[in-house]
Amino acid sequence: MTDAETTRAVETVFRMEQARLIAGLARMLRDVSRAEELAQDALVVAMTDWKKNGVPDNPGAWLMATAKRRAIDGLRRREMMARKHAEIAADLEDDQLRTSAFEEALDDDIGDELLGLIFTACHPILKREARAALTLRLIGGLSVSEIARAFLATEATIGQRITRAKRAIADAGLSFEVPRGADRDARLPSVLEVIYLIFNEGYAATSGEALIRFDLCAEAQRLGRILAGLMADEPEVWGLLALMELHASRLRARTGPDGAPIALPDQNRAAWDRLLIGRGLKALERAEALEPERGPYTLQGAIAACHARALTGAATDWERIAALYDDLWDQAGTPVIALNRAIALSMARGPEEGLLHLSDIEQAGVLPGYAPLPAARADCLFRLGHLPEARQAFELAATLTRNTGERTYLLKRAGACCQA
Amino acid sequence: MRVVVFVKATESSEKGIMPTTEEMEAMGKFNQELVEAGVMLDGDGLKPTSHAKRIRFDGADRTVIDGPFAETRELVAGYWIWQVKDMDEAIAWAKRCPNPMPEASELEIRPFFEMEDFGDAMTPELRAQEEEMRDRTSK
């Protein structure tokens, strides 16, 4: 291998191993910043060593062994007298003496360590955005600038957000361990929320730097798959995975060549990704088998599955979708769910029924300035043939959206009201 | 990006020799790693080509050819579909795979075509054309 090839190989291996490396180190040292530094140090050592001696058979174990050794050296050299640190160092040394084969020790609990890091990065003491940024940094291995571009924020903002989050974790003295029993159940929703937030950042806005945003969806799916691999008995983990795979299966078909969104019934179903649909349906099956009483993510996955199963837009089982939204509304009665339920009802039972439900939401005043609300009303009015009112509502929706492609679409529909 | 990784056939895979328990365990462990890294989308083994058929096209003619097929090195015995960051990552994963065959064997990594691959060359007009084509081929 040439030096350049080795450098690339080292960087690749590092990218793949980074999360596990940081997870293992963070749990030992109770310090995520230090864990990141040590991981970086190990990378630097690997760069020179692997160029000389070749890439080792088990590069992950090699990096971990190197980082651990440096951790011990560091603890000694800095003469950290605090008893806690001395104890950690002693534990580490015992560890090293006991297990001659690092790989075995690594393989044994690495899943748990990674899971521990995910649970820590998604801890409710952090703000939602901070949780998402930290998860992408630590588990996803994205650079600060990549995260900044994905969230349409400046590097300084994201950098600060991550630094503050790390400090908050250190100050709170979190253990980097997977909570057990009731604690785990209480914390899992936060983990799922963060992954779904990341997915939606990629999915919701189709403008901007589209590629990065697609990557963000892919990264969220990957995180979901990792979680499903590590927590295979959790129905909602599979439910969220089903939801993401099924939504992602439609990514390609969601926008036209000009970037304008294409409504679900009008999408070219041939462009839907069959592999992801298959994976989504399988994940959903698994979620439903684990827990017949579907949780919110599994319900949303089931709704997405109804669309995936329909061979044409007209063949969509809207009654079933409306029923699933009823269940979802009972569990998590957010205004957006109410809106989607109203849309499903309008498709299942006609636009009049839809308008009734939409009026309730409008009167509650819970979604002020939310473009999809007047857009839904406009669609119902259009279907009833009340064209001037429909046009007004489409135009109102167009003024409310911040997405250029969506605005074009809504104005086009407003225009169609005049021609019809 | 997505890649398909072909496990090339060998003499023993074509003879239908099943892997030993140890080999299955090693492969199972590797697959588990792929799953826990969120990399593996799909994968399976294929029966030897003695179970396979080929359809040969020549103008309007269609001829069915029964397996087994001779050119062992060109045949496929199994596949994975992986989602990876780039080709380097695919290579790094493939290197970790235990040898899937008792004898010398090969994996072949082939990236899927993605819309992004066409970059700026993929103008909105071309993309529309491509989508129209997909539309028509789906009917």
Side-chain angles (χ1 to χ4, degrees):
Chain A
M1 249 195 233
T2 65
D3 276 7
E5 277 169 347
T6 311
T7 304
R8 262 174 46 207
V10 174
E11 280 167 359
T12 301
V13 166
F14 186 70
R15 202 175 60 225
M16 292 160 68
E17 299 295 341
Q18 172 173 248
R20 290 169 162 230
L21 207 53
I22 293 173
L25 293 165
R27 189 157 87 164
M28 276 187 286
L29 301 165
R30 309 269 191 274
D31 182 345
V32 69
S33 296
R34 184 82 188 111
E36 254 196 302
E37 276 169 33
L38 283 165
Q40 288 289 343
D41 285 353
L43 171 72
V44 173
V45 180
M47 284 285 186
T48 42
D49 190 283
W50 297 3
K51 269 175 198 166
K52 233 184 318 172
N53 304 319
V55 179
D57 285 343
N58 191 337
W62 191 100
L63 286 167
M64 182 59 101
T66 305
K68 274 189 180 177
R69 211 174 309 119
R70 300 208 128 212
I72 298 168
D73 289 350
L75 289 170
R76 284 217 192 99
R77 194 168 47 241
R78 289 202 243 158
E79 290 181 307
M80 291 201 187
M81 283 296 123
R83 170 174 289 185
K84 186 178 140 202
H85 287 124
E87 273 171 12
I88 292 172
D91 283 353
L92 283 176
E93 255 179 308
D94 279 357
D95 234 26
Q96 261 187 330
L97 291 173
R98 265 203 313 274
T99 52
S100 52
F102 260 119
E103 300 90 293
E104 281 171 38
L106 278 171
D107 284 341
D108 277 350
D109 58 359
I110 194 72
D112 240 25
E113 290 188 338
L114 189 53
L115 207 50
L117 185 62
I118 295 174
F119 269 84
T120 306
C122 297
H123 200 286
I125 58 162
L126 307 173
K127 287 199 186 121
R128 262 162 43 118
E129 303 75 41
R131 279 182 249 162
L134 194 62
T135 302
L136 284 173
R137 176 82 202 100
L138 295 180
I139 323 291
L142 265 63
S143 69
V144 169
S145 74
E146 281 172 320
I147 300 170
R149 269 186 291 162
F151 284 107
L152 306 177
T154 64
E155 277 186 47
T157 307
I158 296 294
Q160 266 175 12
R161 205 175 275 173
I162 292 173
T163 309
R164 264 194 234 120
K166 284 189 206 157
R167 202 178 306 135
I169 288 172
D171 291 348
L174 301 184
S175 67
F176 294 91
E177 267 160 29
V178 186
R180 303 282 163 203
D183 283 349
R184 200 183 78 158
D185 293 347
R187 287 263 300 281
L188 185 58
S190 167
V191 174
L192 299 178
E193 186 193 0
V194 167
I195 295 177
Y196 195 38
L197 174 74
I198 293 169
F199 183 83
N200 273 328
E201 280 294 326
Y203 192 74
T206 44
S207 61
E209 288 183 66
L211 281 187
I212 284 285
R213 299 240 147 179
F214 277 132
D215 285 356
L216 214 52
C217 285
E219 186 54 34
Q221 283 164 265
R222 194 175 74 85
L223 291 169
R225 292 180 198 132
I226 292 174
L227 205 59
L230 298 174
M231 302 182 84
D233 296 332
E234 282 295 335
E236 279 286 86
V237 170
W238 290 103
L240 173 63
L241 184 59
L243 173 62
M244 292 194 296
E245 305 272 40
L246 288 167
H247 275 188
S249 77
R250 305 202 283 264
L251 269 175
R252 246 176 221 247
R254 283 174 77 233
T255 49
D258 53 353
I262 301 173
L264 216 151
D266 304 329
Q267 285 174 14
N268 170 14
R269 281 163 203 247
W272 289 4
D273 187 321
R274 308 310 305 180
L275 175 66
L276 290 183
I277 288 178
R279 289 183 54 84
L281 294 178
K282 243 186 255 171
L284 180 65
E285 221 171 82
R286 190 126 180 207
E288 289 174 336
L290 284 165
E291 176 61 70
E293 295 278 309
R294 289 172 285 220
Y297 290 109
T298 308
L299 279 169
Q300 292 176 76
I303 291 166
C306 286
H307 293 299
R309 288 195 185 104
L311 291 178
T312 62
T316 309
D317 187 349
W318 286 107
E319 274 294 346
R320 185 173 157 71
I321 293 176
L324 288 164
Y325 269 119
D326 279 346
D327 289 352
L328 190 58
W329 170 253
D330 287 343
Q331 288 195 26
T334 70
V336 172
I337 290 170
L339 172 59
N340 287 327
R341 177 164 161 253
I343 294 171
L345 282 166
S346 86
M347 296 304 285
R349 296 175 203 164
E352 293 97 340
E353 174 105 13
L355 282 176
L356 279 178
H357 283 85
L358 289 171
S359 296
D360 287 348
I361 302 167
E362 281 157 2
Q363 270 159 28
V366 281
L367 287 174
Y370 188 62
L373 182 57
R377 162 172 286 279
D379 187 62
C380 286
L381 290 166
F382 183 81
R383 284 158 59 204
L384 283 169
H386 301 172
L387 298 181
E389 287 168 272
R391 186 172 61 96
Q392 241 179 350
F394 275 127
E395 280 168 354
L396 171 62
T399 59
L400 292 174
T401 182
R402 280 177 300 167
N403 184 303
T404 334
E406 201 176 313
R407 187 176 307 122
T408 312
Y409 167 77
L410 290 165
L411 289 174
K412 207 166 115 193
R413 289 210 62 185
C417 296
C418 305
Q419 287 155 20
Chain B
M1 70 185 286
R2 273 190 223 177
V3 296
V4 57
V5 183
F6 293 118
V7 181
K8 292 298 196 70
T10 59
E11 235 169 82
S12 58
S13 75
E14 276 295 281
K15 277 188 193 144
I17 296 170
M18 298 302 281
T20 64
T21 308
E22 290 78 42
E23 284 163 350
M24 299 241 279
E25 273 172 6
M27 194 53 88
K29 195 165 161 267
F30 177 63
N31 279 325
Q32 186 60 30
E33 263 190 67
L34 291 172
V35 167
E36 284 183 6
V39 164
M40 181 160 151
L41 300 183
D42 200 6
D44 243 317
L46 303 177
K47 286 189 177 177
T49 59
S50 52
H51 297 258
K53 305 275 184 196
R54 280 183 182 170
I55 317 296
R56 175 163 301 180
F57 294 78
D58 187 1
D61 288 345
R62 308 282 184 271
T63 318
V64 177
I65 305 160
D66 293 328
F69 307 121
E71 60 284 17
T72 305
R73 282 178 56 83
E74 303 303 318
L75 303 174
V76 169
Y79 74 96
W80 284 281
I81 297 175
W82 294 345
Q83 182 148 43
V84 288
K85 184 141 187 166
D86 49 30
M87 234 10 207
D88 286 338
E89 186 182 337
I91 294 167
W93 279 112
K95 278 184 170 173
R96 287 184 199 188
C97 180
N99 183 355
M101 302 291 167
E103 66 268 58
S105 73
E106 256 178 31
L107 297 182
E108 179 177 316
I109 308 170
R110 298 273 297 273
F112 281 74
F113 272 122
E114 318 244 8
M115 275 294 182
E116 301 90 272
D117 290 331
F118 301 103
D120 292 340
M122 195 70 178
T123 61
E125 291 74 28
L126 282 171
R127 205 175 140 184
Q129 196 184 8
E130 154 100 8
E131 267 163 23
E132 195 197 49
M133 183 196 75
R134 277 173 192 271
D135 237 351
R136 277 191 282 150
T137 49
S138 72
K139 278 167 191 158

